[in-house]
Amino acid sequence: MSAVRGARRPWVVVASVALLFTGSVPAASLSSAPAAAPRNVILLIGDGMGDSEITMARDHSVGAEGRLAMDELPATGAYVTSSVDGRGRPDYVTDSAAGATSWATGHKTVNGRVSKTHDTNRPLPTLLELAKRQGLATGSVTTASVADATPAALTSHVTDRSCKGPADMASCPADLRAAGGAGSVVEQAVALRPDVLLGGGADLFAQQVTDGPDRGRTVLEQARARGYQVVRDRAELGAAAPDRPVLGLFAPDNVPAEWTGRPAVAGGTPAQRCTKSNPARPAGTPTLVEETRAALKLLTARNERQKDRGKGFFLQVEGAGIDDRAHDADPCGQVGETVAFDRAVRVALDYAAEHGNTLVVVTADHGHASQIVPVDARPAGRSTTLVTDEGGQMQVAYGSGAVDDVQEHTGTQVRVAARGPRAEEVRGVHANTALFGTLGGALGLRPSIGATPPPGDAGR
């Protein structure tokens, strides 16, 4: 979507979008006062990164008395992560789609749904859409597919998170372009044209568009026709120019984890120190740190090239492999992805220190299955023992799924920490939807954006 033209104020955009999608405008949005100056926002999401997952990574990599980069953020609070059912009643364990929808739109929704209402299944305007409308540069970085639930919540609106490509629309008949919908996640992302879109999911872009003017083209051809420069590895990412949007596709689906080790099993494993490499990760695959640095460089340059300089940018960075490896009770993969994510946090903090006027927020969409238990405990589920940075032993147990099946999310509250303008707003305990208002205010979209919660969002 194109930037707002002329002297049209951001509050008008927010109010009109609210009217379009909800049929009413919150009273707080009707003020004619001009919005505050926009700021840069870097939102870093550790998918499945509850306090237990953070503690595992800290103990293994820097020791119990050591500190991660994410531990340095001065403003710290907690988010309640529950989603809702179709009637707006709490669902105490969220999935990533509903979790991401909460901060992307300020609304809670049902598990599996992406940036659409919980009851009427209508699209909800997202932070990235609103930022783009206001003329800010925008980006999304992930170690999952760019169409996975967390990045999808910023760029698309689908009834079910499985509707990633045009060949995957069985669960989303109303979203088909032939039915008047906006199409699959990747089609919507390409149409929206964020300035930077980095991750995996190349196989989805090889699918053919089935409806509309691009019918018969692959989604990748559609992306190139809309001006995207496509990069496939570290070298191409480093050479990308800021004059056109950048689409990075670094894996057929999710990007392989950075670390490896023995998975947890029933009865435990011998003590192990994780291997800081993965032979299944192709040479030239950029790390999350490299993706984050490249995105910040591109967005900064893109912002300076735009007609209204200094408007700022919004960037979301997701460490998706934390969740992916926890589902498989793979503690080394999980710890390695948390450490990789923490290094991306360091990149964001260094950027903010150098450039100023930047809000950095670190949080998670939900907790996960791993628990640190006594070394002499005998967990009923899968377990393993890791050798920590101090040379000690730490037993990790997984018990939220059957021994021979995937491990599940948990309904625990998760940490949120911040540094920069409006960082103090994360202190205390809030619903996950509250982050929408904090980020929107810091971006200058509207200090009171999302001030009136819809049904199911009480307690924001």
Side-chain angles (χ1 to χ4, degrees):
M1 297 178 181
S2 60
V4 178
R5 298 189 178 190
R8 191 180 182 191
R9 292 172 177 161
W11 65 266
V12 177
V13 176
V14 175
S16 61
V17 171
L19 179 60
L20 174 64
F21 287 111
T22 68
S24 62
V25 180
S29 297
L30 295 176
S31 168
S32 61
R39 305 179 189 274
N40 303 327
V41 167
I42 308 171
L43 172 63
L44 299 110
I45 303 295
D47 196 319
M49 190 184 71
D51 282 343
S52 182
E53 288 72 36
I54 294 171
T55 306
M56 279 176 58
R58 183 190 301 114
D59 288 351
H60 185 275
S61 61
V62 296
E65 299 305 316
R67 293 296 177 264
L68 301 169
M70 69 181 84
D71 295 327
E72 299 176 11
L73 280 79
T76 304
Y79 282 148
V80 177
T81 61
S82 57
S83 55
V84 295
D85 65 14
R87 295 173 60 185
R89 299 171 302 190
D91 187 339
Y92 300 107
V93 182
T94 190
D95 80 329
S96 294
T101 295
S102 67
W103 68 75
T105 72
H107 293 217
K108 289 184 180 288
T109 195
V110 298
N111 286 346
R113 192 165 294 176
V114 177
S115 294
K116 298 182 89 174
T117 54
H118 70 280
D119 48 1
T120 57
N121 195 33
R122 289 184 298 170
L124 295 160
T126 73
L127 279 169
L128 193 145
E129 290 171 330
L130 294 170
K132 190 169 178 64
R133 273 197 179 96
Q134 192 167 307
L136 279 73
T138 56
S140 175
V141 171
T142 182
T143 55
S145 160
V146 296
D148 204 37
T150 301
L154 292 176
T155 62
S156 61
H157 312 270
V158 289
T159 304
D160 190 90
R161 59 184 290 179
S162 66
C163 301
K164 296 179 179 181
D168 308 318
M169 298 296 288
S171 297
C172 303
D175 299 318
L176 287 167
R177 297 181 70 180
S184 64
V185 171
V186 289
E187 291 172 275
Q188 293 185 53
V190 166
L192 182 59
R193 289 182 87 241
D195 296 292
V196 178
L197 190 60
L198 306 178
D203 283 354
L204 295 169
F205 285 79
Q207 294 183 14
Q208 285 193 339
V209 178
T210 56
D211 298 295
D214 293 302
R215 181 177 180 179
R217 284 182 173 181
T218 66
V219 182
L220 188 61
E221 290 170 336
Q222 185 184 39
R224 287 191 167 121
R226 280 161 174 73
Y228 268 104
Q229 51 189 316
V230 180
V231 298
R232 299 284 193 168
D233 57 26
R234 178 183 293 117
E236 291 181 356
L237 177 60
D243 60 336
R244 290 186 293 144
V246 178
L247 172 62
L249 299 173
F250 307 122
D253 189 16
N254 295 339
V255 179
E258 295 192 22
W259 290 14
T260 54
R262 296 185 190 94
V265 298
T269 71
Q272 61 174 318
R273 185 78 178 157
C274 297
T275 301
K276 297 181 181 180
S277 63
N278 183 359
R281 188 179 173 92
T285 303
T287 64
L288 185 59
V289 162
E290 290 167 333
E291 287 186 71
T292 303
R293 283 184 179 139
L296 289 169
K297 179 180 177 181
L298 289 164
L299 291 175
T300 301
R302 184 78 170 170
N303 185 47
E304 287 302 308
R305 291 176 64 90
Q306 291 178 349
K307 182 178 179 181
D308 298 323
R309 290 188 174 187
K311 278 201 167 186
F313 64 78
F314 171 60
L315 172 64
Q316 179 175 285
V317 177
E318 182 199 19
I322 304 167
D323 173 85
D324 180 68
R325 294 297 80 220
H327 277 304
D328 285 349
D330 173 12
C332 285
Q334 176 187 327
V335 167
E337 292 304 284
T338 309
V339 171
F341 174 77
D342 192 63
R343 289 173 179 157
V345 172
R346 172 59 63 200
V347 169
L349 291 174
D350 289 347
Y351 180 92
E354 180 180 352
H355 292 82
N357 205 29
T358 299
L359 173 64
V360 177
V361 178
V362 180
T363 191
D365 49 357
H366 53 76
H368 223 296
S370 50
Q371 292 291 316
I372 301 169
V373 300
V375 175
D376 59 357
R378 296 295 177 263
R382 300 194 223 179
S383 64
T384 188
T385 300
L386 301 181
V387 178
T388 68
D389 183 68
E390 299 101 338
Q393 293 191 355
M394 174 177 63
Q395 184 173 198
V396 178
Y398 296 84
S400 65
V403 171
D404 59 351
D405 203 352
V406 296
Q407 304 303 297
E408 302 292 350
H409 302 168
T410 63
T412 184
Q413 65 185 32
V414 296
R415 179 200 298 195
V416 56
R419 173 179 287 169
R422 303 177 76 101
E424 69 281 354
E425 293 183 16
V426 308
R427 292 193 171 106
V429 179
H430 307 277
N432 47 12
T433 49
L435 188 54
F436 178 74
T438 298
L439 301 181
L443 288 167
L445 302 181
R446 181 78 182 121
S448 59
I449 188 170
T452 303
D457 290 2
R460 285 179 57 188

